[in-house]
């Protein structure tokens, strides 16, 4: 069974008023994400050891020796999550998540500061994450390129922000910091994050 590009959970123009234009979403989802899926399927077709494996299994089994299979599987995994943690009604933090952020990270402002620092501090391409760690506490982390907290064993993801230039260049040019602030205040689907937290 080949891997498939999941449809966006909103229209491609749904986030235009919140800092992510239709062209960004069309290129990012239909071209970039599709390219990772196509490449991954090509590797699976040629390698019997990958056949019948879930995406999570491929990410974890290739994490120790990252190469093209890991990069494309990781990016497929990361983008599936990314589309779900964007919302046209983003930025509103529900109560249970807010309480957990208060107790583990010192409040919403401190969380946003830490998340911005991670996302800005990721040199080159990569991702910033809010995870619930194996100790049951929230943590902010970052990973380079196509890696993620599943690969690093850092816990379960509540939110992940793509900081590859393809995710923000049309909307924010080189201003990565503005893209991150806009995401945290207007696009982040904290409802999704809370649901992930409650399922953890
Ligand atoms: Mn991307």
């Amino acid at each position: 069974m080949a891997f498939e590009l999941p449809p966006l959970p909103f229209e491609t123009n749904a986030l235009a008023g919140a800092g992510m234009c239709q062209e960004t979403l069309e290129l990012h989802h239909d071209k970039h994400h599709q390219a990772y899926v196509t490449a991954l399927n090509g590797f699976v077709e040629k390698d019997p050891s990958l056949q019948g494996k879930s995406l999570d299994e491929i990410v974890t089994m290739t994490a120790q020796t990252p190469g093209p299979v890991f990069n494309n599987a990781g990016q497929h995994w990361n983008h599936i999550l990314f589309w779900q943690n964007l919302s046209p009604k983003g930025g509103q933090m529900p109560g249970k998540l807010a309480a957990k952020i208060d107790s583990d990270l010192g409040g919403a402002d401190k969380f946003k500061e830490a998340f911005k620092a991670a996302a800005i501090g990721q040199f080159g391409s990569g991702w910033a994450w809010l995870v619930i760690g194996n100790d049951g506490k929230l943590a902010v982390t970052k990973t380079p390129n196509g890696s993620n907290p599943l690969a690093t064993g850092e816990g379960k993801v509540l939110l992940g922000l793509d900081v590859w230039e393809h995710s923000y260049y049309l909307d924010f040019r080189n201003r990565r910091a503005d893209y991150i602030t806009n995401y945290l205040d207007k696009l982040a689907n904290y409802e999704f994050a809370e649901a992930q937290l409650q399922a953890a």
Side-chain angles (χ1 to χ4, degrees):
M1 183 71 187
F3 292 106
E4 285 177 14
L5 180 71
L8 286 173
F10 37 73
E11 299 297 319
T12 52
N13 63 3
L15 308 182
M20 192 173 280
C21 71
Q22 182 167 358
E23 192 181 8
T24 292
L25 278 166
E26 286 171 354
L27 287 167
H28 198 172
H29 176 267
D30 304 355
K31 303 296 180 190
H32 289 277
H33 189 175
Q34 179 66 65
Y36 300 128
V37 175
T38 302
L40 175 61
N41 284 330
F43 292 123
V44 172
E45 213 174 285
K46 288 192 218 111
D47 185 345
S49 78
L50 301 174
Q51 288 162 13
K53 296 284 195 290
S54 71
L55 183 60
D56 283 34
E57 287 171 326
I58 294 178
V59 169
T60 48
M61 67 194 265
T62 56
Q64 297 311 314
T65 51
V69 176
F70 175 75
N71 292 338
N72 286 282
Q75 283 291 70
H76 182 33
W77 193 96
N78 295 350
H79 285 83
I80 291 170
L81 187 122
F82 184 52
W83 308 129
Q84 299 176 77
N85 78 180
L86 298 173
S87 167
K89 293 180 185 150
Q92 308 295 323
M93 208 175 282
K96 285 184 182 127
L97 178 67
K100 183 74 174 154
I101 283 179
D102 281 350
S103 71
D104 291 358
L105 299 174
D109 290 348
K110 284 228 165 75
F111 153 66
K112 288 184 181 182
E113 252 173 62
F115 196 91
K116 272 180 219 175
I120 292 168
Q122 174 50 49
F123 184 77
S125 296
W127 294 76
W129 308 97
L130 173 65
V131 302
I132 177 154
N134 305 316
D135 60 358
K137 296 220 185 266
L138 296 183
V140 171
T141 66
K142 60 184 162 71
T143 55
N145 301 314
S147 190
N148 56 47
L150 173 65
T152 59
E154 286 174 299
K156 181 188 162 97
V157 171
L158 306 189
L159 285 177
L161 179 63
D162 191 340
V163 296
W164 286 57
E165 286 183 347
H166 65 226
S167 62
Y168 62 86
Y169 229 78
L170 291 177
D171 297 293
F172 293 94
R173 298 297 166 182
N174 59 319
R175 293 176 285 114
R176 187 192 283 195
D178 292 350
Y179 161 70
I180 298 161
T181 301
N182 183 76
Y183 166 76
L184 290 168
D185 293 343
K186 293 190 182 162
L187 284 173
N189 187 347
Y190 295 113
E191 305 279 346
F192 171 78
E194 184 174 272
Q196 294 282 97
L197 175 66
Q198 289 184 282

